[in-house]
Amino acid sequence: ELSSGINAEYGQNYVNALQRKMTPVSMSAGAPLKISANVQGIGPMFRLTIEVMNTSNTTPISGAYIMLVTNEALYVMEKCYITLPLLVPTLTYTVNMMVRCTSEQGITDSIDVFVYVRGRSAPVLTAQIDMPASEAMIVG
């Protein structure tokens, strides 16, 4: 659990990121990153795979981490804060986790992904993952 002060800071950064629109490629010269995500499964358990790549040819990035935000009434995530290792240029780093859909109504939502680098108050990269409907809830 993160403290209230940190949650407030991330909440404000979240709102700011939404106002700037979500984009999966960083335009920041100091943190050139690319992100992709894949959702596997038919529900209610989904496997979420997130790949982060440092697109620089020469400069590694340290102190990067991922924050995941979603509707907690619909999804339970294995983790919402992921510390990334040193991001070596042109290598792809993969994070896998499980996400459980708790809705029995077939309702879907998205998971917002924010990549931060320590020392910066705003995310250097944002993306939105649209979650599929849970087949088990629709069929059952």
Side-chain angles (χ1 to χ4, degrees):
E1 291 291 325
L2 297 173
S3 71
S4 306
I6 294 174
N7 280 337
E9 178 183 342
Y10 288 126
Q12 183 59 48
N13 288 337
Y14 173 71
V15 170
N16 292 341
L18 288 176
Q19 291 172 344
R20 284 191 303 273
K21 305 284 186 215
M22 298 274 185
T23 178
V25 178
S26 171
M27 300 301 173
S28 171
L33 298 172
K34 182 170 79 171
I35 193 167
S36 64
N38 184 28
V39 180
Q40 297 174 318
I42 58 172
M45 292 297 292
F46 296 97
R47 178 185 174 108
L48 176 60
T49 302
I50 299 172
E51 294 182 337
V52 179
M53 179 183 184
N54 176 355
T55 59
S56 167
N57 288 324
T58 58
T59 308
I61 299 171
S62 64
Y65 56 96
I66 298 172
M67 292 289 300
L68 301 165
V69 179
T70 192
N71 181 342
E72 294 176 358
L74 295 178
Y75 300 105
V76 175
M77 293 186 292
E78 191 176 334
K79 49 193 159 191
C80 63
Y81 178 92
I82 303 159
T83 302
L84 295 171
L86 178 69
L87 300 176
V88 176
T90 70
L91 291 183
T92 300
Y93 296 85
T94 303
V95 176
N96 293 300
M97 62 182 292
M98 300 305 293
V99 177
R100 182 171 51 90
C101 177
T102 59
S103 171
E104 296 182 9
Q105 308 300 317
I107 299 170
T108 65
D109 204 347
S110 60
I111 296 175
D112 297 323
V113 181
F114 301 92
V115 180
Y116 289 87
V117 174
R118 282 190 191 87
R120 297 178 185 218
S121 60
V124 295
L125 181 62
T126 61
Q128 187 172 51
I129 303 166
D130 293 324
M131 294 297 290
S134 178
E135 297 293 326
M137 301 301 179
I138 295 171
V139 174

